[in-house]
């Protein structure tokens, strides 16, 4: 079913909206939650919470594109749950976000930007890189996907994904330096 | 803190970029075939031009490509030999209301073909295998898996090969290698039930295969997760503690029932090869294993639980030294269970 039809069902308060959303985006929502929470039980809870949040927020919202809205809710709920539980669930492995954190925040003192300001700068940076690099970056650091998974999804080799990420992190750091992020 | 800051900052990535990444389609095999073909054609033209210029040149240049053999472009893949087909039951994926994220082409292989069967056991995808095939894989047979695109109802088939993971019993898991992928995927049997703890130890070669995964030990009180949920610095100690506990109770038989939490519980995550499992241990002595949808419990004793817990928290009640390493748990939050009031409902709406 088309996204706009699903949104219409939400507006009509038709419960089929939930099942159609589940049908179309259920696996993606679950994947986002699992990448963040690393726990099946919590992830399934988050998936259900996402449907509830969609039900409670559409209307009045009429999101476009719907897929981004759904995924943002799933991600925010998962991050919230992870923080509530103080879930430092890995010791040896480095989480994707930590990879980016190490690249951007290692050593240097940085300006007291707000999250929003930094986010806008990252978004601007993403607009100026190649589509493949952008897709790989978002799938890794926003969705939290494994490199092999990105490789499967994009058709790029794992080595190429790794190199692209490494270059993009470096470029992003340079971009933020130019933007005066670091003191 | 920086991580949280960064996670929140990434929320500012525009919807258009997200939609682009989330619905990115990989180029089809035919694209690469065409690319290879056009490359080969260009090469051929250049080669013909070079030969022609050599033939018509009044001052012939010494040929540098003499006796060079050009590799033949073989666009046809090897025929797939299907053996032991009778032992394979074709399964249909995505029939339990867990749908594809986007369209069929944009879905990963293991999501498309999430079920396999071998010798009467049904398996579902649970993880990717990260080890070299020579060490742990033994080919079982070729097979054909079937998947259903639930948005269109169309049935797809793919060729794959099933492998026995040498250190795991067949009744627990197999590995699947799709013809179009170089990865090995672990499919586990959701109905697996060992005869006893002893057979669990041997079926999974637990002593060799188990490792600490998420490295946490936390306590929960029925529905409420406590604030005390700490990074486990010495996860391997928890694993050896678990193994010794299993060894001493190796004749116990499992029960296929849900875990019933008591007022105090421990829960932690481990990996068996690359298969994630969750272990739960309740004060009443129930020890539950949960492998992606498959769970069974053993009834240990309250003393076993106390022994495990005392090792987890260490001698000092305010400082968990044994397994938590040097991380100090505030006295108010230490081992005693504490109810946590549910936070106000926040749907986690994207910030504008």
């Amino acid at each position: 079913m088309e996204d706009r039809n699903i949104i219409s069902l939400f507006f009509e308060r038709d419960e089929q909206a939930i099942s159609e959303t589940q049908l179309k985006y259920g696996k993606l929502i679950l994947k986002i939650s699992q990448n963040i929470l690393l726990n099946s039980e919590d992830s399934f809870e988050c998936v259900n919470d996402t449907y509830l949040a969609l039900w409670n927020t559409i209307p009045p919202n009429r999101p476009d594109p719907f897929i981004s809205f759904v995924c943002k809710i799933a991600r925010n709920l998962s991050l919230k749950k992870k923080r509530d539980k103080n879930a430092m669930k890995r010791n040896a492995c480095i989480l994707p976000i930590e990879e980016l954190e190490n690249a951007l925040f290692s050593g240097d003192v940085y300006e007291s930007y707000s999250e929003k300001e930094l986010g806008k700068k990252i978004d601007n940076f993403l607009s100026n890189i190649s589509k493949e690099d952008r897709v790989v970056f978002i799938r890794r650091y926003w969705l939290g996907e494994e490199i092999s998974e990105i490789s499967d999804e994009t058709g790029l080799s794992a080595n190429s994904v790794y190199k692209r990420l490494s270059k993009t992190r470096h470029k992003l750091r340079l971009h933020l330096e130019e933007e005066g992020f670091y003191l | 803190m920086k991580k949280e800051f960064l996670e929140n900052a990434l929320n500012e990535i525009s919807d258009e970029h997200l939609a682009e990444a989330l619905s990115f389609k990989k180029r089809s095999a035919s694209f690469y075939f065409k690319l290879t073909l056009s490359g080969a054609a260009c090469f051929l033209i250049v080669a013909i031009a070079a030969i022609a210029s050599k033939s018509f040149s009044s001052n012939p240049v010494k040929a540098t490509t003499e006796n060079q053999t050009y590799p033949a472009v073989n666009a046809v893949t090897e025929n797939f030999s299907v053996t032991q087909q009778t032992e394979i039951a074709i399964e249909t994926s995505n029939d339990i209301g867990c749908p594809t994220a986007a369209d069929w082409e944009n879905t990963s292989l293991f999501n498309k073909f999430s079920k396999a069967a071998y010798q009467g056991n049904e398996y579902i995808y649970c993880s990717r295998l990260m080890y070299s095939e020579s060490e742990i894989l033994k080919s079982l047979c070729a097979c054909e898996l079937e998947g259903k695109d639930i948005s269109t109802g169309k049935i797809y088939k793919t060729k794959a090969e099933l492998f026995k993971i040498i250190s795991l019993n067949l009744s627990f898991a197999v590995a699947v290698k799709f013809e179009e992928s170089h990865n090995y995927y672990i499919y586990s049997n959701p109905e697996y039930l060992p005869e006893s703890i002893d057979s669990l130890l041997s079926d999974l070669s637990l002593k060799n295969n188990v490792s600490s995964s998420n490295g946490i030990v936390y306590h929960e009180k029925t529905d409420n997760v406590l604030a005390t949920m700490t990074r486990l610095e010495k996860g391997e100690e928890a694993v050896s503690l678990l193994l010794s506990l299993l060894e001493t109770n190796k004749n116990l038989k499992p029960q296929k029932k849900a875990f019933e939490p008591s007022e105090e519980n421990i829960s932690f995550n481990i990996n068996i090869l690359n298969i994630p499992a969750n272990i739960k241990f309740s004060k009443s002595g129930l020890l539950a294993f949960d492998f992606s949808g498959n769970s069974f419990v053993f009834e240990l004793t309250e003393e076993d639980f106390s022994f495990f817990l005392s090792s987890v928290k260490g001698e000092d009640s305010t400082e968990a030294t044994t397994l938590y390493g040097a991380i100090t748990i505030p006295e108010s939050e230490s081992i005693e269970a504490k109810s946590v009031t549910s936070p106000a409902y926040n749907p986690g709406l994207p910030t504008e």
Side-chain angles (χ1 to χ4, degrees), chain B residues 98-141:
Chain B
C98 205
T100 50
D103 55 46
W104 181 256
E105 279 190 9
N106 202 27
T107 306
S108 48
L109 272 171
F110 52 83
N111 279 328
K112 287 175 180 170
F113 307 100
S114 59
K115 289 183 180 181
Y118 183 71
Q119 291 185 334
N121 286 327
E122 290 188 350
Y123 302 88
I124 54 167
Y125 168 77
C126 70
S127 178
R128 195 192 305 272
L129 197 54
M130 298 296 189
Y131 296 81
S132 72
E133 66 181 88
S134 57
E135 286 171 12
I136 55 164
L137 297 174
K138 183 183 163 194
S139 179
L140 289 171
C141 63

Side-chain angles (χ1 to χ4, degrees), chain A residues 58-77:
Chain A
I58 309 173
N61 289 297
R62 192 181 279 276
D64 183 27
F66 185 50
I67 183 172
S68 309
F69 188 78
V70 171
C71 293
K72 276 189 174 180
I73 289 180
R75 182 172 180 268
N76 286 347
L77 285 173

Side-chain angles (χ1 to χ4, degrees), chain A residues 163-180:
Chain A
K163 280 182 182 166
R164 277 169 193 272
L165 283 170
S166 174
K167 277 184 188 166
T168 310
R169 283 198 305 269
H170 181 66
K171 279 188 203 166
L172 174 59
R173 193 182 165 96
L174 291 178
H175 174 77
L176 292 177
E177 271 173 17
E178 281 169 14
E179 293 283 321

Side-chain angles (χ1 to χ4, degrees), chain B residues 117-318:
Chain B
Y118 183 71
Q119 291 185 334
N121 286 327
E122 290 188 350
Y123 302 88
I124 54 167
Y125 168 77
C126 70
S127 178
R128 195 192 305 272
L129 197 54
M130 298 296 189
Y131 296 81
S132 72
E133 66 181 88
S134 57
E135 286 171 12
I136 55 164
L137 297 174
K138 183 183 163 194
S139 179
L140 289 171
C141 63
C143 66
E144 193 168 55
L145 299 183
E146 193 170 283
K148 184 180 174 187
D149 180 356
I150 49 168
S151 58
T152 61
K154 196 173 169 186
I155 303 285
Y156 291 87
K157 288 179 181 176
T158 189
K159 285 166 183 170
E161 191 170 0
L162 291 194
F163 289 84
K164 179 187 185 314
I165 304 166
I166 288 172
S167 56
L168 298 181
N169 191 300
L170 264 179
S171 60
F172 176 64
V174 292
V176 171
K177 184 175 185 296
F178 294 102
E179 198 181 38
E180 61 260 57
S181 167
H182 58 276
N183 293 316
Y184 292 88
Y185 300 94
I186 308 178
Y187 282 57
S188 72
N189 176 7
E191 296 302 317
Y192 168 75
L193 188 65
E195 284 177 11
S196 62
I197 287 183
D198 198 24
S199 30
L200 176 76
L201 286 165
S202 62
D203 286 353
L204 278 60
S205 305
L206 262 188
K207 281 183 193 166
N208 300 323
N209 288 339
V210 72
S211 62
S212 163
S213 161
N214 294 341
I216 56 152
V217 173
Y218 65 93
H219 306 264
E220 59 183 10
K221 182 182 179 183
T222 320
D223 293 331
N224 296 320
V225 177
L226 290 182
T228 307
M229 191 167 169
T230 314
R231 180 190 285 261
L232 182 65
E233 295 282 307
K234 299 177 183 175
E236 293 309 315
E237 280 187 34
V239 166
S240 23
L241 198 63
L242 173 73
L243 286 173
S244 64
L245 202 62
L246 293 175
E247 276 287 336
T248 50
N249 293 282
K250 62 183 181 184
N251 292 325
L252 271 183
K253 296 194 184 310
Q255 292 171 37
K256 193 96 179 169
K257 66 176 188 182
F259 175 77
E260 290 162 15
S262 53
E263 65 205 42
E264 201 167 41
N265 310 281
I266 301 170
S267 171
F268 62 105
N269 297 309
I270 57 169
N271 268 340
I272 292 154
L273 282 186
N274 204 35
I275 303 173
N278 178 251
I279 310 283
K280 284 196 177 113
F281 203 176
S282 78
K283 191 178 181 182
S284 60
L286 271 189
L287 179 72
F289 281 78
D290 189 348
F291 302 97
S292 30
N294 177 23
S295 56
F296 46 84
V297 295
F298 296 99
E299 282 185 7
L300 304 186
T301 63
E302 208 164 315
E303 287 72 38
D304 289 327
F305 175 84
S306 307
F307 167 70
F308 197 94
L309 184 62
S310 65
S311 303
V312 165
K313 72 175 184 182
E315 295 301 315
D316 188 336
S317 62
T318 61

Side-chain angles (χ1 to χ4, degrees), chain B residues 65-85:
Chain B
T65 55
E66 208 178 327
N67 298 328
Q68 186 174 335
T69 55
Y70 300 105
V73 179
N74 185 7
V76 184
T77 53
E78 274 181 28
N79 286 334
F80 192 86
S81 59
V82 179
T83 58
Q84 299 184 33
Q85 192 74 48

